Amino acid sequence: MKPLRTARPHRSRLALGALGLVAALTLGACGGDATGNAGAVNEDGEVDLSKVTLIVGDQKASSAKALLTAAGLVETEYEIKWQEFTSGPPMLEALNADSIHVGLVGNTPPIFAAAAKGTFKIVAGASYTGQGDAILVPADSPLQSVADLKGKKVAVAEGSSANYHLLAQLEKAGVKYSDIEVQNLQPGDALAAFKSGHLDAWTVWDPYTSQAVVGEGARVLTNGEGVVNGLNFQVASQAALEDEATKAALSDYLTRITKAQLWSSEHRDEWATVWAKQTGLPKEVTLAAAANRPVTPVPIDQEVVDSEQQMADTFFANGLLPVEVDVADHFTDEFAEYTTGEAVQ
């Protein structure tokens, strides 16, 4: 394929606010146990998938294990070892440390991981729209617009897709990021703080959006439709891509996930039932989340790269990313045959 590049203006500002997060991602790259599958390649050069273990990062929000289970695609010739994470940033830490082979994250964690000089590759993409990405306020909150967030305590998991959503909404409303009191909280902690009245607003993604709306009576101040690209990505470690046996399992896994994503959009009730069982969330929550997240696989192309580059440039321009990032270096379309066309029919 042609190089996926986009021209960017030069900037010299150093973002201090994100140094802690980027440092954490960098420190995570010190070692791990997901570096390959020695012994799975036979003497004739063929991969014996029965000897392969693919270590997959999972989140409640995306729940790849639940998705494959619901679609009847969870039984594989190779073993899948699941590791659960609260959000994309800690998952990318694990990926950088070679503790997992692949995982699904939102549109923002790869940008921060790239700033930390991660060696991962984005190998597949999907659009979930921006409807499930929301800024939430309590039902009785006097806040009626994003502009009203000025001077308020707003929770967000820094480096997550919600982080960019919040930044984009503030810019659209003419409010500086520094004009709000950002509370860096993972979803579980943010939900507890939101329920106890310690927050004015919470920026998050589904199923947490639906959990707060359905379960806690939260009100959606605004959502991400038309503001964020709604993309999620399968991100693989360099170690996984360089190991022949692991890469073979990864190729099959990406096909299964893509098929399951397509299935979920056409079987929302069945998907919501399994999702609820796997996560412990009420079905009314997962059903609402499924309705908010109709998924469509997207190819890794120039449009996707340009959209992510615009996000990276926006973070840097606002002092939220310590260095400029060329996101094209972290995309590959080499798995397109496994995620598009006949492979997923």
Side-chain angles (χ1 to χ4, degrees), residues 132 134 136-139 191 194-195 202 204-220 272 276 281-292:
L136 305 172
V137 295
L191 177 60
F194 187 83
K195 289 169 60 175
W202 177 24
V204 74
W205 58 92
D206 256 321
Y208 302 107
T209 296
S210 295
Q211 185 178 13
V213 171
V214 175
E216 306 301 330
R219 172 165 56 87
V220 176
L281 293 169
K283 184 181 175 180
E284 57 263 38
V285 169
T286 56
L287 190 59
N292 283 342

Side-chain angles (χ1 to χ4, degrees), residues 145-221:
S145 70
V146 175
D148 294 335
L149 294 176
K150 189 172 184 178
K152 304 301 182 183
K153 291 182 179 180
V154 183
V156 66
E158 289 185 357
S160 70
S161 60
N163 201 170
Y164 179 76
H165 180 214
L166 176 59
L167 175 60
Q169 292 285 7
L170 291 172
E171 284 204 331
K172 183 180 177 183
V175 180
K176 295 180 181 178
Y177 198 79
S178 58
D179 286 339
I180 65 172
E181 294 185 32
V182 176
Q183 311 293 303
N184 180 20
L185 297 173
Q186 289 295 312
D189 294 331
L191 177 60
F194 187 83
K195 289 169 60 175
S196 63
H198 292 149
L199 298 172
D200 296 301
W202 177 24
T203 308
V204 74
W205 58 92
D206 256 321
Y208 302 107
T209 296
S210 295
Q211 185 178 13
V213 171
V214 175
E216 306 301 330
R219 172 165 56 87
V220 176
L221 188 68

Side-chain angles (χ1 to χ4, degrees), residues 70-71 260-273 287 290:
Q261 289 171 335
L262 291 167
W263 175 89
S264 70
S265 292
E266 298 174 356
H267 302 82
R268 290 182 185 173
D269 190 78
E270 295 170 64
W271 162 224
T273 298
L287 190 59

Side-chain angles (χ1 to χ4, degrees), residues 3-8 111 164 229 231 233 300-314 326-328 331:
L4 296 174
R5 302 282 178 186
T6 189
R8 296 176 289 115
I111 294 172
Y164 179 76
N229 61 22
L231 294 175
F233 297 114
I300 300 299
D301 59 15
Q302 193 66 52
E303 182 179 355
V304 167
V305 173
D306 288 347
S307 179
E308 288 294 300
Q309 188 64 59
Q310 184 272 327
M311 290 174 57
D313 292 344
T314 300
D326 187 347
V327 301
F331 281 92

Side-chain angles (χ1 to χ4, degrees), residues 1 4-5 92 95-96 98 100-105 110 113-114 117-125 233-242 247 250 254 300 326-335:
M1 70 183 277
L4 296 174
R5 302 282 178 186
L92 263 294
L95 197 80
N96 248 9
D98 285 330
I100 61 173
H101 292 127
V102 65
L104 179 69
V105 299
K117 303 187 183 304
T119 57
F120 63 89
K121 283 290 190 293
I122 295 170
V123 295
F233 297 114
Q234 295 287 347
V235 185
S237 70
Q238 194 62 39
L241 298 176
E242 292 175 352
K247 190 173 181 179
L250 174 63
L254 293 176
I300 300 299
D326 187 347
V327 301
D329 293 338
H330 295 278
F331 281 92
T332 178
D333 66 351
E334 66 175 308
F335 292 90

